[in-house]
Amino acid sequence: MLRLHDTATGTVRPFELRDPGRVSMYVCGPTVYEVPHLGHGRFTLVFDVLRRYLTFSGLEVLHVSNVTDIDDRIIERAAREGRTEREVAGEYEATWWAAMDALGVLRPTVVPHATGYIPGMVELIGDLVARGLAYEIDDGVYLQVDMVEGYGLLAHQPLESLRAGARVEASGQKRSPLDFALWKKAKPGEPTWPSPWGEGRPGWHTECVVMSLDLLGDGFDLHGGGQDLIFPHHENERAQAVVEGRAFARHWMHNGWVTAGGEKMSKSLQNFTTIDDLLARGDPRAYRLLVVRSHYRSPIEVTPETIATAGKGLARLDALARRLSLDDPMAGGDVVRDEAVAAAPGGVEQDAVTRFREHMDDDLDTAAAMALVFELVNAAHAAADDGDTTAARRLGGTVAILCGALGLRLRGEVGEVDERTQRLVGERDEARRERDFARADALRDELVAAGWTVEDGPDGTVVRR
RNA sequence: GGCGGCGUGGCCGAGUGGUUUAGGCAGGGGCCUGCAAAGCCCCGUACAGCGGUUCGAUUCCGCUCGCCGCCUCCA
């Protein structure tokens, strides 16, 4: 039984599903106005790992994640670059999916776009206005938060203390600085949709509540995102559901920051690294390993050094796959299901799979799960050294399945070796046969200089990049 | 001002009221190897500080210090 930390209660508690066997989860997606950075990479990886683990556990997962394709920042960028909002959103959405694909993050089951749900949002807002819970002023329609039962549940602060700490002044007409925009009236030149309050566009918080309830239904299982979405975004989504009398998310899950130099990675601090930078520097799987090596609620420090360290751990996993010629459990698709455990060619280390599940069920303790995997790696090598091929393959196969369950695909192949390199390798084998070690060493230097890793095994020299 | 998180061996990073160790990376010794690489074996006795509870605390409680975050857009 999976237990997860729930932001609403502040406790780790059983993840109880609305419909047995089926998981409905909504994860707030990107506003497509800029290239994604490592913070986006982390939250998508965290929820990808959750989704994969749920799938591995035999559950059917309906994963909805939105794209916010109309927003102030998109409008600003379009204006600055003399383009349409559609062009800007289209470009950055394409960039987003390219990054996700490179990271091995599964596409959500459904990807609603804000611009596709505007009538439903208008309907919701209209209802709130009609019932006296929202009010219209010059620049838009606002929800009156002091009408909301339990406002501050997710922030873990009562309304009064939130109000006392508010850093923004109430705009003249707002009844409280905490009241938030459900509908924003258009300024000249902005893209608009019709509404009873004039041309305009919906507020961000209204998008997600409408789309999540529409696609997943009342009382869906899990709502997630980065911790910075807790307040006000998720609080305000919940507020709308509450006043509408609709059961909202049963469980709230939020991941920790990516930090750089100890500080939160963010646009405003200019300390962010884009996912493209990461991809240019190395294997994207190293980032997944870095993410799963710590707990999802802990901050992670991401620097070239920490990524490089993760890359070495990854190399250790790949080396095992290579040595044992492990089958790829994801070969038949992009996910590893629990059937893979029974179908593993060499069998699995059943006890290890059980322990893996115990770690994962404990609020997704991927760090402990990976420690277990590395223990198996060690045991597999030791068995192989002892000549116990059966045990080695069973252990190694388990490693591949458990890594696969976390979305980490091992690379057992050495990659393409060009003709010239192949010739040098042949020459080196020949020199070694003739015990001409000076020449063998010179050839190795040449190969290393060309970027190859050279390993002499019982069957001669093997090179890889 | 309010609320919350964190402080673990050289670095990263789990975990636990006591007994046998997380794990990775780096480092030292050994085995293997022509030499390497990879791999294996062995090696670190750490839990910010100060009190308290306890037979016993890194692990619970309180306080102090330090760092980070939320209360505005933010993954």
Side-chain angles (χ1 to χ4, degrees):
Chain A
M1 176 73 179
L2 174 61
R3 295 167 58 83
L4 283 176
H5 182 268
D6 179 11
T7 307
T9 63
T11 60
V12 175
R13 61 181 191 82
F15 183 45
E16 286 161 349
L17 304 178
R18 179 185 56 187
D19 310 312
R22 300 182 57 209
V23 181
S24 46
M25 57 188 270
Y26 187 93
V27 181
C28 285
T31 298
V32 283
Y33 74 105
E34 180 58 282
V35 295
H37 60 66
L38 295 182
H40 301 103
R42 183 179 192 188
F43 96 80
T44 50
L45 282 167
V46 163
F47 286 97
D48 185 64
V49 167
L50 170 66
R51 173 182 175 178
R52 287 174 183 276
Y53 179 63
L54 293 168
T55 304
F56 179 72
S57 302
L59 298 165
E60 185 192 327
V61 181
L62 179 54
H63 172 206
V64 176
S65 193
N66 65 299
V67 167
T68 296
D69 57 350
I70 185 65
D71 175 86
D72 290 352
R73 290 160 296 175
I74 295 171
I75 293 169
E76 281 164 22
R77 185 166 202 130
R80 193 165 67 239
E81 298 180 353
R83 300 197 285 167
T84 66
E85 287 76 13
R86 252 183 110 98
E87 286 167 347
V88 169
E91 175 188 338
Y92 289 103
E93 182 174 351
T95 306
W96 173 265
W97 295 122
M100 291 303 115
D101 290 349
L103 289 175
V105 170
L106 298 169
R107 296 288 180 104
T109 322
V110 183
V111 181
H113 288 64
T115 54
Y117 282 79
I118 289 178
M121 299 181 206
V122 170
E123 191 182 330
L124 168 71
I125 298 165
D127 186 57
L128 295 174
V129 170
R131 292 168 51 211
L133 299 162
Y135 56 92
E136 181 180 0
I137 57 177
D138 287 351
D139 67 348
V141 178
Y142 288 78
L143 187 78
Q144 188 168 333
V145 297
D146 62 15
M147 308 285 270
V148 181
E149 178 71 28
Y151 191 80
L153 175 80
L154 296 174
H156 290 288
Q157 288 203 75
L159 185 63
E160 280 317 306
S161 92
L162 284 166
R163 193 193 314 254
R167 286 177 284 178
V168 282
E169 295 298 310
S171 79
Q173 300 177 312
K174 271 170 71 171
R175 295 177 188 172
S176 158
L178 296 172
D179 291 352
F180 60 92
L182 302 169
W183 188 258
K184 296 182 172 193
K185 294 183 185 175
K187 301 187 187 80
E190 292 181 349
T192 66
W193 288 263
S195 84
W197 318 282
E199 291 285 314
R201 64 177 185 280
W204 182 38
H205 313 308
T206 301
E207 290 173 17
C208 284
V209 70
V210 168
M211 295 190 288
S212 58
L213 286 172
D214 190 69
L215 289 162
L216 294 170
D218 289 22
F220 61 90
D221 296 314
L222 182 103
H223 197 127
Q227 286 173 348
D228 48 0
L229 295 187
I230 295 172
F231 193 92
H233 184 53
H234 287 164
E235 190 76 56
N236 288 348
E237 282 186 52
R238 177 183 171 276
Q240 294 167 83
V242 166
V243 293
E244 278 289 281
R246 309 216 23 202
F248 205 44
R250 302 162 62 92
H251 216 106
W252 294 89
M253 173 170 158
H254 295 96
N255 64 277
W257 312 122
V258 170
T259 61
E263 292 185 310
K264 180 188 173 192
M265 183 173 284
S266 72
K267 298 284 292 176
S268 52
L269 285 172
Q270 290 292 305
N271 62 346
F272 63 93
T273 303
T274 68
I275 293 176
D276 277 351
D277 290 340
L278 175 81
L279 298 174
R281 204 182 297 136
D283 194 323
R285 297 175 305 152
Y287 191 45
R288 182 179 290 264
L289 183 56
L290 184 59
V291 166
V292 299
R293 255 185 13 186
S294 58
H295 190 86
Y296 72 88
R297 283 188 283 121
S298 302
I300 53 170
E301 177 77 10
V302 183
T303 63
E305 289 72 35
T306 62
I307 293 170
T309 301
K312 289 187 179 173
L314 182 64
R316 183 165 161 76
L317 296 170
D318 282 345
L320 182 71
R322 208 161 51 234
R323 179 178 190 185
L324 301 176
S325 302
L326 297 176
D327 293 308
D328 177 4
M330 280 196 260
D334 290 327
V335 293
V336 177
R337 298 179 187 281
D338 54 349
E339 300 92 78
V341 173
V348 294
E349 202 67 19
Q350 197 55 55
D351 177 56
V353 174
T354 302
R355 285 168 59 210
F356 175 83
R357 289 193 157 119
E358 285 169 359
H359 287 311
M360 293 298 286
D361 284 344
D362 179 16
D363 196 22
L364 235 48
D365 190 350
T366 53
M370 280 315 295
L372 166 66
V373 166
F374 277 103
E375 283 175 29
L376 295 174
V377 171
N378 192 50
H381 275 303
D385 282 359
D386 288 347
D388 188 347
T389 316
T390 308
R393 286 197 60 75
R394 187 178 65 243
L395 289 157
T398 307
V399 168
I401 285 172
L402 299 185
C403 284
L406 300 178
L408 202 57
R409 185 176 224 147
L410 305 186
R411 269 184 54 195
E413 75 284 6
V414 296
E416 286 290 301
V417 179
D418 62 85
E419 209 170 295
R420 175 175 170 276
T421 302
Q422 200 56 64
R423 201 185 68 241
L424 292 174
V425 169
E427 286 178 29
R428 177 169 152 80
D429 279 337
E430 192 186 318
R432 290 184 65 230
R433 258 196 309 280
E434 293 167 0
R435 306 194 68 78
D436 181 356
F437 297 122
R439 181 152 165 265
D441 289 350
L443 286 161
R444 178 167 61 202
D445 290 345
E446 194 173 335
L447 287 163
V448 169
W452 294 94
T453 298
V454 180
E455 285 179 20
D456 300 330
D459 305 320
T461 293
V462 175
V463 294
R464 62 188 160 81
R465 288 210 197 252

